[in-house]
Amino acid sequence: MTKKERYKIVLDYFEKNIPNAQTELIYQDSFQLLVAVILSAQCTDVRVNQTTPAIFKKYPNAVALAKATFDELFPLIKSISYPNNKTKHLIGMANMLMDKFGGEIPMRVDDLVQLPGVGRKTANVITSVVDQQPNMAVDTHVFRVSARLGLTTKATTPLAAEKQLIQYIPEALVHKAHHWLILHGRYTCFARNPKCSLCGLTEICGYYKKQMKNKVAQKTA
């Protein structure tokens, strides 16, 4: 099977089974999404969604957030992982938006990564979700699922995985494929004890074949 054929099988499967995939973060505009994605680093979307309403009520835009002090913002974030750093990042991000970007969220990855708390993954999320740009954000789910399905080969870093995925996924589908891979990893292809019995991609999954091979070996040992 060629890489092109493998990608077609995977993308067709997701298109049929998760046609309306989208982020599970709750937001109303690009500013709220940026805040939510910064908070979501090493934290669940569920926890972020429980936390952001109070933040958005008090700080509805970059103008308001830029005026926040650490002591004012921290209590609203303390239930999130790494609250000290994220509090500083959010305030710094808002101030840079005001000082450098006129309070608007830039839609270029190179601009976004200049903001405190924003790395390449976050920048790719913002541009793909808000603007449907063909940018692939690679988190732990995308990295794991892509490797198991053979979409990536010997990709040892998120950037390497991103480059391989972008090479084979049609531009028009990249923004959707990001969510497909995340949701598949979040609800089916767990790091431990994945729900292979519920997955329709086991025929091409290298991880599944390896697990089956190991089970056969254990039975015959």
Side-chain angles (χ1 to χ4, degrees):
M1 180 185 300
T2 66
K3 266 288 176 65
K4 186 176 181 180
E5 291 170 337
R6 182 177 296 274
Y7 269 80
K8 187 177 188 312
I9 290 171
V10 172
L11 295 175
D12 286 350
Y13 172 80
F14 285 138
E15 186 75 81
K16 179 179 179 180
N17 291 279
I18 323 178
N20 300 313
Q22 56 188 332
T23 180
E24 294 184 313
L25 292 170
I26 299 173
Y27 68 98
Q28 297 296 321
D29 54 38
S30 57
F31 170 76
Q32 290 189 0
L33 178 62
L34 179 56
V35 170
V37 176
I38 290 174
L39 291 175
S40 71
Q42 298 185 347
C43 185
T44 66
D45 287 0
V46 172
R47 171 61 66 183
V48 173
N49 289 335
Q50 292 171 345
T51 304
T52 49
I55 298 173
F56 297 154
K57 183 177 181 179
K58 190 170 184 178
Y59 307 107
N61 50 46
V63 176
L65 187 56
K67 297 176 182 177
T69 66
F70 181 93
D71 291 339
E72 290 170 341
L73 182 57
F74 180 80
L76 303 179
I77 296 178
K78 63 182 181 181
S79 65
I80 296 283
S81 59
Y82 305 103
N84 286 340
N85 286 340
K86 290 179 180 178
T87 298
K88 295 175 184 176
H89 287 159
L90 289 182
I91 295 173
M93 174 271 290
N95 275 278
M96 184 176 285
L97 283 179
M98 296 305 300
D99 295 340
K100 193 167 183 176
F101 300 103
E104 300 295 324
I105 309 299
M107 279 298 128
R108 293 179 65 251
V109 169
D110 289 346
D111 290 333
L112 283 164
V113 295
Q114 297 178 46
L115 300 170
V118 177
R120 185 176 180 85
K121 182 187 75 173
T122 296
N124 282 346
V125 170
I126 300 301
T127 53
S128 65
V129 172
V130 175
D131 208 31
Q132 295 191 354
Q133 294 180 29
N135 298 328
M136 174 61 68
V138 178
D139 68 353
T140 55
H141 296 303
V142 174
F143 192 78
R144 177 178 69 256
V145 172
S146 298
R148 287 179 174 178
L149 293 177
L151 301 181
T152 58
T153 305
K154 296 181 180 179
T156 58
T157 66
L159 181 58
E162 175 189 333
K163 289 180 177 179
Q164 290 187 33
L165 291 167
I166 292 297
Q167 182 180 352
Y168 289 97
I169 298 175
E171 281 194 5
L173 291 180
V174 172
H175 71 283
K176 294 177 68 174
H178 160 69
H179 298 301
W180 286 334
L181 294 168
I182 285 178
L183 294 175
H184 192 62
R186 186 173 289 169
Y187 296 109
T188 304
C189 193
F190 304 144
R192 295 183 179 180
N193 302 317
K195 296 180 179 180
C196 296
S197 61
L198 302 180
C199 178
L201 293 169
T202 52
E203 288 188 8
I204 67 163
C205 180
Y207 175 85
Y208 178 77
K209 291 179 180 179
K210 183 177 180 180
Q211 294 298 101
M212 292 299 99
K213 185 177 180 180
N214 288 341
K215 286 183 179 181
V216 171
Q218 289 174 2
K219 288 181 180 180
T220 58

